[in-house]
């Protein structure tokens, strides 16, 4: 991107910020309303998955005891802290335990607006829709699991950082740091997002060096120029980076700090009452959590499994729950890569990020988990939106030229995408949300027939306080 291009984009962003909502903003807001409705519809109807049940149990235990500390095997503490507040207001139900995930992921498509300086208007709306309604994303947005949350927080952070580059406004950078920090409080694989961004940035640099060599320029001089530019940016904004780093640590420390009296010592409440305890609490929340993470997930046998069966399961889930996104992502990437003015940085890095996630998560996961595919789908949705937008533009241009055949073919492709996403979503998210033959269902999902039994147990337990009455429960 040239300096003049950057100035034009920044000027456009300023005008859009000042003029208020336009038709694209309203379209994305409409997508968000529909996405939220799709998530909240019969949200509490499905029998709780065993993984959901244990999260709810830990939340109730925290609410009853006031004690909680970071345990890497159950991932970050965000859901425990936030859902404990929700339970306090609404009570512990299947609906309320899923409320946080549904609400956050319902709002997530708004992040598409942050990329509108890099995408065409139709691509922005398409991206919001793909984030909202891709079946595997929608299914696990109605599920108590950290993966949809870390995806929403980390991708929003990425979009805010892109917006920072486009506008030069520090407020987007600070907001991005905040969202990234929230991602780290949800699940440890937020670190993989940062690594994917770093790897993508290296590949973007390689793009520039390759093009320089193709123009018979000295690629080493181009590399040095980019290095000097990065150094200038770092010096100019060193204060912003320091503030961002402090804010990141503050958010992470707040969530990871133990509460109450735990095995590692007094919690955050005691440290607030006695500030001399604060350094120890902060150390436990940061260094102690990192050490626990290393011992549980990095230096451990959790990932000691055969790669190909896990990759096969991952690909099968993508085929069932994100086929349209995967196919359109390839179309969008190829079309963008070979356009006359060269590939877009945004589309290129998102495609690389998604492909690496497809290849990498079968290594990183310890079980065959359909929800892991979300981490590949959300970045792939960016080039997929470009691919879908390409067919929409072809249809419009053909219609304007009076070419009804080409316009009809383009419309057919778009309708096929909508039909595939809609049919898969209706069938897998709502109609067979618990069945074993649904490829999006993880094997620990109980059948709906367990609900009457659980209601009888609940009614009986409310009338019996001691273990001596166990016989009457059954």
């Amino acid at each position: 991107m040239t300096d003049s291009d950057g100035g034009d984009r920044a000027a456009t962003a300023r005008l859009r910020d000042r003029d208020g909502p336009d038709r694209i903003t309203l379209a994305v807001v409409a997508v968000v309303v529909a996405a939220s409705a799709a998530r909240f519809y019969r949200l509490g109807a499905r029998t709780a998955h065993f993984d959901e049940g244990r999260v709810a149990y830990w939340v109730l235990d925290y609410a009853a005891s006031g004690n909680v500390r970071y345990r890497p095997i159950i991932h970050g503490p965000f859901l425990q802290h936030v859902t404990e507040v929700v339970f306090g207001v609404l009570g512990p139900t299947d609906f309320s335990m899923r409320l946080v995930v549904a609400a956050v992921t319902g709002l997530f498509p708004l992040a598409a607006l942050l990329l509108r300086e890099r995408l065409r208007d139709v691509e922005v709306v398409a991206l919001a829709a793909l984030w909202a309604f891709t079946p595997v994303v929608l299914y696990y947005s109605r599920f108590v699991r950290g993966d949809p949350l870390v995806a929403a927080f980390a991708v929003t952070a990425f979009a805010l950082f892109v917006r920072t580059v486009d506008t030069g406004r520090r407020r987007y950078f600070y907001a991005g740091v905040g969202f990234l920090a929230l991602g780290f409080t949800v699940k440890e694989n937020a670190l993989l997002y940062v690594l994917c961004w770093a790897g993508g940035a290296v590949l973007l640099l390689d793009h520039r060096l390759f093009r320089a060599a193709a123009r018979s320029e000295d690629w080493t001089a181009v590399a040095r120029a980019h290095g000097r530019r990065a150094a200038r940016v770092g010096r100019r904004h060193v204060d912003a980076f320091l503030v961002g780093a402090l804010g990141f640590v503050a958010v992470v420390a707040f969530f990871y700090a133990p509460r109450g009296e735990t095995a590692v010592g007094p919690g955050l409440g005691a440290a607030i009452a006695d500030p001399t305890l604060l350094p120890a609490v902060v150390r436990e929340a940061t260094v102690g959590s990192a050490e626990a993470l290393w011992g549980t997930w990095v230096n451990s046998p959790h990932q000691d499994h055969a790669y190909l069966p896990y990759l096969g399961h991952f690909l099968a889930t993508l085929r069932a729950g994100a086929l349209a996104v995967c196919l359109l992502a390839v179309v969008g990437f190829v079309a963008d890569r070979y356009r006359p003015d060269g590939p877009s940085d945004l589309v290129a890095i998102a495609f690389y990020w998604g492909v690496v996630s497809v290849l990498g998560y079968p290594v990183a996961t310890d079980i065959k988990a359909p929800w892991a595919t979300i981490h590949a789908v959300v970045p792939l949705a960016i080039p997929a939106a470009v691919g879908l937008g390409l067919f929409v533009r072809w249809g419009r241009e053909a219609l304007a030229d009076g070419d009804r055949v080409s316009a009809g073919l383009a419309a057919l492709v778009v309708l096929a995408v909508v039909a595939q996403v809609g049919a898969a979503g209706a069938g897998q998210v709502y109609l067979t949300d618990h069945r074993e033959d649904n490829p999006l269902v993880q094997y620990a999902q109980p059948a709906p027939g367990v609900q009457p039994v659980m209601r009888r147990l609940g009614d009986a337990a409310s009338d019996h306080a001691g273990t001596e009455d166990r016989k009457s429960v059954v």
Side-chain angles (χ1 to χ4, degrees), residues 424-451:
Q428 296 167 355
V429 177
Y430 301 106
L431 300 180
T432 62
D433 59 348
H434 61 276
R435 290 176 51 173
E436 293 182 10
D437 58 353
N438 182 345
L440 301 188
V441 172
Q442 205 265 351
Y443 54 78
Q445 173 63 50
V450 76
Q451 289 178 323

Side-chain angles (χ1 to χ4, degrees), residues 125-134 137 324-325 328 377 380-382 384-385 388 417 421:
V125 179
L127 177 58
L130 292 174
W131 279 343
F133 299 114
T134 297
V137 177
V325 166
L328 287 171
V377 171
L380 287 176
I382 295 174
L388 185 57
V417 170
V421 172

Side-chain angles (χ1 to χ4, degrees), residues 84-346:
E84 191 268 338
V85 176
V86 174
F87 278 3
V89 175
L90 300 180
T93 66
D94 287 347
F95 175 88
S96 61
M97 75 176 180
R98 297 172 179 141
L99 177 63
V100 175
V101 178
V104 170
T105 57
L107 294 173
F108 169 48
L110 285 172
L113 290 170
L114 296 168
L115 302 175
R116 64 185 307 178
E117 311 308 324
R118 305 289 181 118
L119 299 173
R120 294 179 173 91
D121 288 348
V122 67
E123 295 167 355
V124 171
V125 179
L127 177 58
L130 292 174
W131 279 343
F133 299 114
T134 297
V136 69
V137 177
L138 178 57
Y139 187 97
Y140 284 104
S141 294
R142 297 162 48 84
F143 193 100
V144 184
R145 184 74 196 178
D147 294 80
L149 290 177
V150 72
F153 288 146
V155 175
T156 299
F158 172 78
L160 285 162
F161 293 145
V162 172
R163 185 73 173 174
T164 303
V165 173
D166 290 341
T167 65
R169 292 176 174 174
R170 290 186 175 187
R171 68 189 187 200
Y172 294 115
F173 172 74
Y174 295 138
V177 170
F179 274 99
L180 182 59
L182 287 176
F184 273 82
T185 68
V186 175
K187 195 175 179 182
E188 303 83 356
N189 70 314
L191 178 61
L192 299 181
Y193 279 80
V194 178
L195 295 178
C196 285
W197 301 342
V202 172
L203 290 175
L204 293 184
L205 176 61
D206 180 68
H207 284 188
R208 285 159 170 73
L209 300 182
F210 182 82
R211 291 200 296 270
R215 295 191 299 267
S216 300
E217 298 178 9
D218 183 0
W219 67 268
T220 59
V222 175
R224 289 194 298 270
H226 282 290
R228 288 192 295 269
R229 182 181 179 185
R232 287 197 302 270
V233 171
R235 288 193 297 269
R236 188 184 313 128
H237 300 292
V238 63
D239 56 334
F241 293 135
L242 289 175
V243 171
L246 290 174
F248 181 90
V249 172
V251 172
V252 170
F254 173 79
F255 277 94
Y256 278 89
R259 305 298 200 269
E261 290 293 332
T262 68
V264 296
L268 184 61
I272 293 175
D274 182 3
T276 61
L277 300 175
L278 192 59
V281 171
V282 171
R283 186 193 183 285
E284 178 58 33
T286 53
V287 177
S289 296
E291 291 174 345
L293 166 63
W294 179 269
T296 301
W297 288 111
V298 181
N299 187 27
S300 75
H302 282 289
Q303 287 77 29
D304 291 347
H305 54 70
Y307 176 72
L308 289 181
Y310 277 64
L311 176 62
H313 179 268
F314 197 96
L315 295 175
T317 304
L318 287 177
R319 181 182 61 194
L323 179 62
V325 166
C326 294
L327 294 179
L328 287 171
V330 175
V331 173
F333 172 73
V334 172
D336 179 81
R337 184 169 182 80
Y338 296 106
R339 64 181 187 171
D341 53 346
S344 159
D345 287 349
L346 175 64

Side-chain angles (χ1 to χ4, degrees), residues 24-25 33 77 160 162 212 248 259 269 299 316 318 342 351 392 403 414:
I24 301 304
T25 301
V33 172
L160 285 162
V162 172
F248 181 90
R259 305 298 200 269
N299 187 27
L318 287 177
F351 186 79
V392 172
D403 186 352
V414 174

